[in-house]
Structures are given as structure tokens and as C-alpha cells.
Amino acid sequence: MAPPSVLWLNNALQVLSNAAWYSAAPFIPLYLAAQGASVAVVGTIVGVSGVAPLLVSIHAGALVDERGPIVVAKASVILFAAAGAILTVLHRLWAVAVAYALMGIGNIGFAIAPQAIVAAASTDATRVRNYGYYALWNSAGAVVGPVIGGLAAGHFGYTAAFAPVWLLMLPAFGVTASLRGVPAAARARVSLATAHTVIGAIVRQRGVGAILFLSSMMVCAQTLQQSFYPLYLHKVGLPDTLIGLVVAAVSLSSMLVRTLLAWGVAWLGYARLLLGATALAAIALGITPLLHQFWTLVVASGLLGASLGFTQPLTMSLLAECVAAEFWGIAFGVRQSVQRVSAIASPVVFGLVSVARGLESAFLAGALTLLGAVLIMARAAGYARRPAAGPPGQPPA
């Protein structure tokens, strides 16, 4: 098991990497629109830029299992720094697509490696709690990032919002260099080249299919928030600074509810909490087209954030419980692959819906998608159980 101090460094890395991502990501669609791109083109660039992350997800997970998560985390820092430099210096649609793809690949590493670190540094009793803290600090970075980006974009233009991507990677590299004591799996059974051979066995594990399905559905909601939500906020007349605050409300709400994660699981169990959180996301998306004022939009963002705040760490913890330790990296890579498929397809689909029926229709389509997921999950929720969690409220162990 990794030393407990690793969890705190891991959480610091989440703050820095998510702050970097969210300082730029909410404003990339607006930047593309300012460059003359249509809604359909924006959706296509956001979707297609996810192809590269999809292709590397499983092998990035295998690299975590074979070489350890720290190597992958350092590589992600380098990719983010390069993407930030491209966004800051180059001003072409193709450059935005390339940089967004590099950030997407980096995000795969920033997801798989830290999730494997949490699994390695936890016991069965502390795992769900530690994933809650991991997700909480992940949200903390996502709260700070859009505020920084919104202020920079509002005062100095969109290019200024992209500079923090590479600036925040300077301390991030120092954090990854300080991580110690997180070895590769002692019983690794597959190499980087043969990682694909165990995917079927992992997916067939009891409960894994339901976890992956729910993860993919929640990415639909997250993709709407990242790609079309800023466009809708701009359409109703909010300035860039307020757009940053509304987007930050999603992450702030996620951060707050994650302090209640252990109590929620102990009270409701995994199944009911996951179903309720997914339904909450459907409600948040469904009411968004009816809202046009700053504070009401903040409330809708808060509901969506609360949903993501529960579903993300719960699915991580469940996946770690369902899969043997030597396959954690690949399992998290499979989860990322499924999420990337949704991230590629959903903005393209929602973009076509918005072109045909208006921007508001994309949110209604997202709400209906999540309601359908709730009905399907209600029939497949028997795998979820109440965990043997330690006392809630303790610091990471």
C-alpha cells in the first residue's frame, strides 16, 4: 500500500490539473464561435478531438499497471503544457483541435493514474471515502479554473484564458516529482502490448457493465455542460465573467456534495444514490432551456453539479471493488474509453439536434437520454450494495 501522504499530493495534482482544464475548456467553444465556427462545427471539433484520448485510454491504463501511475501523471503534465502553449500562440481552428486533443489525452492520464493511486492507498473500508476526497479536490480545481478563465477572457480576450493551462503545469510537475511509494502492480499479468486481451474478462465481471453504462450516460450531461452550455449562456446575454461563474457553480456544487458522500452511501446504498443522482442530472438539463437569468441558471448548474458529485466517485469506487488490483489501471482505462465514446458522439449528436431544432433542444435531448438511463439502471441495480465504509468525515487514510 502507498503511504498516506501520497493521497494529499494526489489531491493537489487534481486541483492543478482541473484548474488548468477548466480555465480553458469552457471558453474554447466561445473562441471557436468568435472565429466564425457554426454550432455544428463547434460540436464536431469538441467530439473529434476526443478520438485520440479514446485510442490511448486502455493502453494508458496498461502503462499504469506495468510502470506505475507516476510515469503516466508526469506525461500528462507535459501534454497539458504543450496544449496550453499551442492555444496561446496559434490562432487557427486546426490548432485548437490539436491542442484540445492533447489536453484530452492528458486528461486520460490525469484520470487513470490518480484513480489507481487512490485504489492503491486505500483499504476496503476507506476506499469510498478516499474517492470522495479525491473527487472533492478534483471539483475544487474545477471551481477555480472557470473563474480564472472567465476573468481573463472578459478583460484580455480568450487567448489569455488559455495561458493558465501551461502556467499551472509548472507546480504540477513539482507535485508529480514528489510522489513516492506507488509501485506498479506486483502481479501484473499483461504487458502494454497485450492489454486488449483482458478487456473482455474485465467487462464480464459482475457489475462492471452497469458501472460503465452509467459512466457513459453521465458523460453526455458533462459534455453538454462543457460544449453547448457556454453557448446557451452567451445566447441569453450573460457576459464572459458571469459565464465563468455559472460554469464554476457546477464544480462548486460537486465539491460540496462530495463531503456528504459517505453518509449518502450509508443511508441509501450505492444503487439508490446512483439512480437519484442520475435523475437529478436529467432534471437539471430539462429545466435549463426555461431559464434565462443568472441566479436561476446558477441553481440549475448546482443541480447538475450535485449529480456529478455523487456519480463520479461512486462509480470509481465500485469499479475498484469489482476488479482485481493487478488490473485496476486497465479497468480505469476501459472506463475512460467508454466515456470517450460518449464524449465523441454526444456533442456531434446534440450539435445536429441543435441545428435542426434549436440550441435548447439539445438540453431536452440530454434530459430524455438520462431519464432512459435511470429506467435501465433501475433494472440492473442489484449489483450495488452498502459498502463496509469507515466512519465518515475522517481525513484520507
Side-chain angles (χ1 to χ4, degrees), residues 133-308:
Y133 279 102
Y134 158 84
L136 185 150
W137 290 108
N138 198 296
S139 294
V143 170
V144 174
V147 175
I148 294 173
L151 291 172
H155 289 86
F156 306 107
Y158 294 122
T159 302
F162 304 145
V165 175
W166 62 268
L167 288 172
L168 288 169
M169 290 303 99
L170 299 177
F173 193 83
V175 170
T176 57
S178 300
L179 285 168
R180 297 287 189 275
V182 188
R187 296 175 294 158
R189 300 179 186 174
V190 294
S191 67
L192 183 63
T194 61
H196 62 281
T197 62
V198 299
I199 295 173
I202 290 174
V203 173
R204 285 192 295 270
Q205 292 291 313
R206 185 171 181 264
V208 171
I211 294 167
L212 297 178
F213 173 75
L214 181 59
S215 296
S216 69
M217 292 298 99
M218 292 307 298
V219 166
C220 292
Q222 200 166 20
T223 301
L224 272 171
Q225 178 243 327
Q226 292 176 352
S227 54
F228 296 105
Y229 201 43
L231 296 177
Y232 177 74
L233 297 176
H234 190 266
K235 180 179 179 179
V236 298
L238 293 187
D240 291 335
T241 302
L242 292 185
I243 289 175
L245 293 176
V246 174
V247 173
V250 177
S251 301
L252 178 60
S253 178
S254 293
M255 183 177 177
L256 293 176
V257 302
R258 280 163 179 167
T259 62
L260 306 175
L261 182 63
W263 282 281
V265 171
W267 181 35
L268 297 173
Y270 278 121
R272 291 180 181 176
L273 189 56
L274 284 171
L275 290 173
T278 306
L280 187 62
I283 293 171
L285 293 178
I287 65 174
T288 294
L290 305 177
L291 307 177
H292 303 89
Q293 302 300 318
F294 171 73
W295 286 111
T296 56
L297 288 164
V298 166
V299 171
S301 295
L303 294 178
L304 179 59
S307 172
L308 295 171

Side-chain angles (χ1 to χ4, degrees), residues 93-155:
L93 294 183
W94 67 265
V96 175
V98 169
Y100 209 6
L102 291 177
M103 289 180 67
I105 296 172
N107 250 352
I108 294 296
F110 279 135
I112 296 173
Q115 288 168 26
I117 289 173
V118 174
S122 302
T123 64
D124 289 342
T126 62
R127 183 175 292 118
V128 68
R129 188 187 66 213
N130 287 341
Y131 273 114
Y133 279 102
Y134 158 84
L136 185 150
W137 290 108
N138 198 296
S139 294
V143 170
V144 174
V147 175
I148 294 173
L151 291 172
H155 289 86

